Amino acid sequence: MCGILGFVHLRETETNEKPRTICRMIRNMAESIKHRGPNDEGYLLGKWECGEHRLAGGPDTPSEVLASRYAFSPHQRISDPELHELEGELSLALACRRLSILDLSPAGHQPMCNEDQTIWVVHNGEIYNYRVLRNELKASGHQFVSDADTEVIVHAYEEWGKDCLTRFNGMWASVIWDSKEKKLLCSRDRFGVKPFYYHLDPDWFIFASEIKAILRSGLVPSKPNNRIIHDYLLHKRHDHASETFFEGIRQLRGGEYLELHLSGTGFVGALPIWDISPDSYLNGQSDEEYAQRFYELLEDAVRLRLISDVPVGTCLSGGLDSSSIVCVLDKLLREGKAKIPGRENIQKTFSARYRNSPHDEGKFIENVAQRTAIDAHHIYPEDSEIFDEIQRLIYYQEEPFATLSIFAQWNVFKLARQVGVTVTLDGQGADESLAGYHTAFIQYFAALIESSCWLRLRNEMNCYKRLYGYSKAEAYNRAMAYLQVRGRRMPLVSRFLRAWMPSPSAPQSRTDWISPSFLKALRVHQTLTTSPYALFRDNLFDDYLYTSTIKPGLHHLLHYEDRNSMAFSIESRTPFLDYRLIEYLFAIPSDQKIRQGVTKVVLRNAMKGVLPEPIRQRLDKIGFSTPQDVWFRTILKETTREIFNSASFRQRPYFEIKAANQILEEHSLGNRDYSQEIWRALCLELWLRTFVD
């Protein structure tokens, strides 16, 4: 796990010469993401026009790395005056801040290359099947000097070209520099677990794992992107497009790659690496058969994600998904099928707790602790200096986010760092692929209506009402509205039934706190949210799962996870996002996800005898949440009021000051819950203060 960055100077003009402080620029960029890789730093500095290069270390490069004799070993530091004399000639730089996970020796240093130094790579993430690929490459004659997955990328590219990307099972953001072809190949893993940002103009291509590194180059101004801000304020959307909150800075989406041909066709991208096949179906099996195969895939996904030379732990919320990871890992340890690195072969878990709060899942966490042999650790977020921590959270997240729920996750990773764990596993991705959110019922009902499965619809809606207490009429109308929004033809019977249903209650939301002039100026702007993908044209429910998991997917949740974990120099891994498991879930019938009002059917069946029954059968959902509604009535109330009345807040073009203060006061009185609106306004203001002002 690392932080990667670099740039290419594409041309020289009379008005845009290369800066004479290239080394300082790349060092400043790397220093801004030191938290992503505190163990080592490396630089490739060269002239892409002729293929010449120099290698350098930095202040955090260990002396044993400088003394090593690999083809990619630097023997001088970037502060060396000799390098500075060459700065005017440099036109390409690759850099890496390393968090050492696999092969802690100097052989794991990056940037890494092949034997003749014609192929270079900087890599952030893990290729979990790298040992299988390495054996295959060895059989083809490739030689290795390390036990790092990064070196497999180098030789896989030599062997298969860009097709190597489809062979990787992992999470990654990587850049390969092919000096013979004068080409950069930049890629991001299938789901976007690891980030990749870039800026491209006629003179520069700049990339990095985090936006702040691009800003530190001094070549890209920190200018807010009002189109994205519009989507955020009005629609609560973020990390939903290739554009970011910063004008001129874009990102590769999950499962995309781009190529930069420096001596030929120029920029090519962003192009897809992988996608779900809508024609793969597994029908006719029993519940037991579906569950058995699901368990085998999940267990192997967990086992693969234990590869590490540093301590591994698990995030435990007490919910079905994270508890499943903990219990599967515990089973692997008990059966001797896995081992956790370190002196103690025991699983450490990390949980956020709340005192006397409905957000606390302590009883479920205790259920897991009683069932397994774990070393459980807990943290109470409200015990911290919340406002100061929130400001740090915004700095590391880099872009505004929709709720304070991720503050719990921030504290969990903080706790893991305090305990000394460097790698964690958690249950991210299961809700999206297994229809774990209660909103999935509406899309499920819509699919049943469209296919005229009336008996099944009646049974499911009866169970929905019995288990959760929701109105069948309102659920039916919402499903019909969803059909209408998607432009689908509604069966005649469904239209007849709708006429007899009472109208659904209007959602209680307010937008009057957003400046009318700002909304008017962006009125012609359509939300940047990609319209629903129609990969599964014949099944609205599968299409909903596809848009939730793959495109546009769960980028915002993975954004949270990456920044929260890397802020504390921790690598977070997500077994439920093993692409083999996701492909399997899209191939099995929909009633393996929802049946008789119960979600995640195949997971619950697979976990029988492995997971404590109170968790396996629980139907409520909390997740990593925070009592933000209470905080805005108590410990955050006065600070928020001061900010809403500050000079900077009043001068922004985004807010209607009187309405913003009104919703804060109404929320404080407990009349309505406006915590989400309050947070979006507060978060945007704090972000502007941090990155723009």
Side-chain angles (χ1 to χ4, degrees):
M1 179 65 65
C2 304
I4 62 173
L5 60 142
F7 58 79
V8 179
H9 189 254
L10 301 175
R11 67 176 186 176
E12 273 191 46
T13 65
E14 292 182 0
T15 58
N16 184 55
E17 295 182 355
K18 291 192 292 289
R20 301 296 176 178
T21 55
I22 291 286
C23 291
R24 181 184 301 174
M25 183 172 82
I26 196 72
R27 284 175 60 191
N28 287 341
M29 292 173 67
E31 182 66 21
S32 71
I33 57 172
K34 180 177 179 178
H35 51 279
R36 298 188 75 93
N39 304 131
D40 188 10
E41 59 180 313
Y43 304 90
L44 171 73
L45 306 167
K47 294 183 285 185
W48 64 261
E49 298 88 345
C50 61
E52 295 180 8
H53 67 265
R54 301 290 289 272
L55 299 175
D60 291 319
T61 304
S63 56
E64 53 266 32
V65 170
L66 295 172
S68 61
R69 290 293 180 267
Y70 300 107
F72 46 83
S73 298
H75 303 305
Q76 60 188 147
R77 299 192 188 271
I78 199 168
S79 56
D80 192 316
E82 180 188 351
L83 286 176
H84 291 210
E85 294 175 2
L86 301 174
E87 285 195 293
E89 303 176 18
L90 299 175
S91 57
L92 176 143
L94 303 180
C96 177
R97 294 287 326 201
R98 187 182 183 211
L99 175 63
S100 302
I101 302 291
L102 292 171
D103 194 340
L104 310 184
S105 76
H109 177 80
Q110 294 187 46
M112 189 175 283
C113 66
N114 60 350
E115 295 89 340
D116 63 5
Q117 298 185 323
T118 58
I119 307 296
W120 290 86
V121 64
V122 285
H123 162 58
N124 169 31
E126 302 292 350
I127 307 301
Y128 301 121
N129 64 333
Y130 82 99
R131 286 173 177 155
V132 172
L133 294 175
R134 186 176 62 179
N135 289 337
E136 185 176 349
L137 290 164
K138 279 184 175 181
S140 297
H142 293 269
Q143 297 181 350
F144 291 81
V145 300
S146 76
D147 189 32
D149 60 330
T150 305
E151 192 177 10
V152 167
I153 297 175
V154 174
H155 293 291
Y157 175 77
E158 282 188 299
E159 184 72 17
W160 301 304
K162 66 186 176 187
D163 290 342
C164 69
L165 302 176
T166 64
R167 294 175 174 259
F168 299 153
N169 182 354
M171 56 178 187
W172 75 86
S174 298
V175 174
I176 297 171
W177 165 237
D178 185 334
S179 63
K180 286 184 177 179
E181 298 291 329
K182 292 184 173 55
K183 178 178 71 174
L184 281 176
L185 174 64
C186 311
S187 65
R188 193 176 181 190
D189 65 75
R190 293 171 179 82
F191 304 102
V193 180
K194 305 317 298 177
F196 186 89
Y197 296 98
Y198 67 95
H199 167 82
L200 177 66
D201 63 36
D203 303 299
W204 293 93
F205 175 72
I206 308 172
F207 70 88
S209 294
E210 294 188 12
I211 293 170
K212 59 176 66 71
I214 296 177
L215 297 177
R216 284 289 290 274
S217 71
L219 299 171
V220 184
S222 183
K223 182 180 179 182
N225 184 342
N226 282 344
R227 293 199 298 169
I228 292 291
I229 290 175
H230 169 274
D231 286 359
Y232 171 70
L233 294 178
L234 190 61
H235 302 295
K236 299 187 288 186
R237 301 194 185 279
H238 52 106
D239 221 304
H240 60 292
S242 297
E243 293 187 37
T244 70
F245 277 86
F246 296 85
E247 195 75 53
I249 298 178
R250 302 177 67 86
Q251 63 176 322
L252 278 178
R253 304 293 287 169
E256 289 183 346
Y257 74 93
L258 65 82
E259 293 179 306
L260 190 63
H261 299 261
L262 300 179
S263 60
T265 55
F267 180 85
V268 179
L271 300 172
I273 296 170
W274 163 92
D275 210 338
I276 289 290
S277 171
D279 300 320
S280 297
Y281 292 108
L282 292 173
N283 292 315
Q285 298 185 17
S286 66
D287 284 353
E288 292 74 17
E289 289 172 319
Y290 286 125
Q292 177 61 32
R293 181 55 182 158
F294 177 89
Y295 183 84
E296 291 170 356
L297 289 168
L298 178 60
E299 183 181 78
D300 194 55
V302 171
R303 182 187 59 79
L304 278 178
R305 282 156 183 78
L306 294 177
I307 58 168
S308 173
D309 294 324
V310 294
V312 179
T314 314
C315 299
L316 175 61
S317 70
L320 180 61
D321 309 331
S322 65
S323 299
S324 293
I325 299 298
V326 171
C327 290
V328 168
L329 177 50
D330 181 74
K331 185 171 182 287
L332 285 169
L333 294 173
R334 290 176 183 273
E335 295 175 352
K337 296 179 180 178
K339 189 177 187 304
I340 294 178
R343 290 178 296 177
E344 300 176 0
N345 192 31
I346 186 170
Q347 182 180 185
K348 291 180 170 62
T349 64
F350 306 98
S351 308
R353 299 284 309 279
Y354 299 95
R355 296 181 178 88
N356 304 314
S357 169
H359 296 266
D360 185 66
E361 297 188 88
K363 65 179 181 180
F364 297 110
I365 294 169
E366 184 59 31
N367 286 152
V368 175
Q370 292 173 354
R371 174 90 181 205
T372 59
I374 62 173
D375 179 12
H377 300 265
H378 309 101
I379 193 168
Y380 293 81
E382 67 262 37
D383 289 349
S384 61
E385 296 292 333
I386 288 183
F387 187 72
D388 291 342
E389 284 289 283
I390 286 173
Q391 289 182 300
R392 289 189 66 216
L393 175 61
I394 289 172
Y395 171 76
Y396 283 103
Q397 285 291 325
E398 297 191 307
E399 297 183 274
F401 44 95
T403 92
L404 263 176
S405 63
I406 68 171
F407 186 59
Q409 187 186 59
W410 166 273
N411 280 273
V412 166
F413 287 121
K414 179 181 178 181
L415 175 63
R417 171 46 58 198
Q418 292 170 353
V419 173
V421 164
T422 309
V423 175
T424 60
L425 277 61
D426 77 17
Q428 195 69 267
D431 279 321
E432 291 73 20
S433 58
L434 281 157
Y437 298 117
H438 284 185
T439 53
F441 283 106
I442 303 305
Q443 284 76 18
Y444 187 52
F445 296 156
L448 293 178
I449 292 170
E450 186 178 43
S451 57
S452 299
C453 297
W454 302 114
L455 291 177
R456 188 171 167 189
L457 175 67
R458 183 184 68 175
N459 178 56
E460 289 293 346
M461 293 189 76
N462 286 335
C463 293
Y464 179 71
K465 180 183 180 186
R466 175 174 55 83
L467 293 173
Y468 307 107
Y470 293 120
S471 163
K472 290 191 293 182
E474 183 160 349
Y476 186 85
N477 274 290
R478 288 177 64 193
M480 290 288 287
Y482 182 72
L483 281 168
Q484 190 171 5
V485 167
R486 293 298 304 273
R488 309 298 278 251
R489 292 189 62 183
M490 294 174 280
L492 181 62
V493 174
S494 69
R495 284 177 275 171
F496 175 78
L497 288 173
R498 191 180 191 186
W500 289 88
M501 296 287 185
S503 299
S505 57
Q508 296 182 348
S509 61
R510 289 180 62 170
T511 60
D512 58 335
W513 55 278
I514 308 172
S515 167
S517 59
F518 174 68
L519 293 179
K520 183 179 180 181
L522 275 292
R523 183 175 296 169
V524 296
H525 157 67
Q526 297 296 316
T527 177
L528 286 175
T529 307
T530 308
S531 58
Y533 288 75
L535 184 68
F536 294 88
R537 298 179 188 276
D538 298 329
N539 192 311
L540 275 175
F541 182 60
D542 284 343
D543 203 51
Y544 158 75
L545 296 177
Y546 180 78
T547 58
S548 299
T549 310
I550 314 245
K551 294 179 181 178
L554 37 75
H555 282 78
H556 62 297
L557 297 177
L558 296 173
H559 179 126
Y560 302 157
E561 180 145 358
D562 173 80
R563 302 311 188 283
N564 282 345
S565 60
M566 294 308 296
F568 298 101
S569 303
I570 288 175
E571 173 174 300
S572 180
R573 299 173 176 178
T574 52
F576 279 107
L577 289 180
D578 188 299
Y579 80 95
R580 301 168 302 165
L581 188 62
I582 296 298
E583 288 178 343
Y584 179 73
L585 286 174
F586 274 94
I588 64 178
S590 58
D591 69 355
Q592 291 297 313
K593 289 108 176 179
I594 292 180
R595 187 192 303 166
Q596 297 182 347
V598 176
T599 62
K600 303 180 180 178
V601 172
V602 68
L603 172 60
R604 295 177 193 273
N605 289 340
M607 290 297 110
K608 189 171 185 179
V610 178
L611 200 62
E613 282 299 293
I615 298 175
R616 193 179 75 88
Q617 296 185 12
R618 69 178 293 197
L619 300 178
D620 63 318
K621 183 167 182 57
I622 298 176
F624 274 127
S625 64
T626 56
Q628 69 174 20
D629 57 330
V630 176
W631 290 351
F632 282 121
R633 295 186 179 105
T634 54
I635 53 180
L636 290 177
K637 175 182 174 181
E638 292 305 319
T639 301
T640 304
R641 181 183 284 122
E642 290 176 9
I643 291 173
F644 279 11
N645 288 286
S646 67
S648 63
F649 190 86
R650 290 177 174 276
Q651 292 168 4
R652 306 291 185 200
Y654 310 115
F655 308 119
E656 181 62 32
I657 308 303
K658 183 177 179 180
N661 279 284
Q662 183 182 21
I663 65 170
L664 178 61
E665 294 308 315
E666 289 186 21
H667 180 85
S668 299
L669 294 173
N671 298 333
R672 296 278 181 86
D673 181 2
Y674 289 127
S675 60
Q676 290 194 29
E677 291 85 349
I678 293 167
W679 171 250
R680 292 205 301 283
L682 177 63
C683 186
L684 180 61
E685 171 64 19
L686 294 176
W687 174 79
L688 289 164
R689 293 183 182 187
T690 301
F691 288 100
V692 178
D693 292 350

